[in-house]
Amino acid sequence: MTKDSVLPVKSKAFAIKIIRLYTELQNEKKEFVLSKQILRSGTSIGANIREAIRGQSKADFYAKLYISLKEAEETEYWLELLCDTDFICHEKFDQLIKDCEEIIRILMATLKHKDVN
């Protein structure tokens, strides 16, 4: 995997959307607690994928991808809370959750491949 592979590219694009969501939540909705949580987890996905690319070993590579998967699952939870409490509209939720679920599927497929090898 390289920085130009599909997973790093998608996770970075997702992180940018999360940063924009964070800014909107802070400035327009005056929501400070959940916004910090989703900023942390939503940007951590790509950061850990980037770390995995430069992993010291295969074990390190997969460990970082597992962390990314956990962060993606956490992000999904924060998105659900933000939607259920009306801090984000269903349209924005649907777009972000679709992106997050796609990253989760790619991570799971990559990690499943590890078990085959």
Side-chain angles (χ1 to χ4, degrees):
M1 182 182 306
T2 67
K3 290 191 311 186
D4 298 329
S5 299
V6 68
L7 190 54
V9 169
K10 286 186 178 289
S11 63
K12 185 176 181 181
F14 182 70
I16 291 167
K17 290 178 184 179
I18 292 296
I19 292 166
R20 289 187 177 133
L21 173 63
Y22 168 80
T23 302
E24 177 184 325
L25 290 169
Q26 292 269 306
N27 295 340
E28 295 174 25
K29 303 284 185 165
K30 304 302 180 203
E31 198 302 307
F32 303 106
V33 177
L34 297 176
S35 62
K36 291 240 178 173
Q37 293 289 345
I38 198 161
L39 177 68
R40 187 195 56 74
S41 65
T43 57
S44 180
I45 300 164
N48 279 290
I49 289 167
R50 184 69 69 93
E51 282 186 53
I53 293 169
R54 297 284 183 232
Q56 297 172 348
S57 64
K58 275 191 174 185
D60 187 38
F61 173 79
Y62 287 112
K64 294 294 185 195
L65 290 186
Y66 276 114
I67 293 169
S68 293
L69 179 59
K70 288 169 53 176
E71 294 293 340
E73 293 283 353
E74 181 180 338
T75 301
E76 199 173 42
Y77 176 76
W78 296 125
L79 285 170
E80 290 168 3
L81 283 181
L82 286 165
C83 183
D84 291 347
T85 56
D86 299 321
F87 280 107
I88 59 173
C89 67
H90 289 282
E91 183 180 325
K92 184 174 294 253
F93 170 79
D94 290 342
Q95 176 192 22
L96 290 169
I97 203 75
K98 178 183 170 194
D99 292 343
C100 191
E101 288 172 345
E102 182 178 14
I103 291 167
I104 289 170
R105 281 192 302 275
I106 296 168
L107 282 165
M108 289 178 68
T110 304
L111 291 166
K112 191 177 206 178
H113 179 72
K114 167 203 169 265
D115 296 333
V116 174
N117 291 333

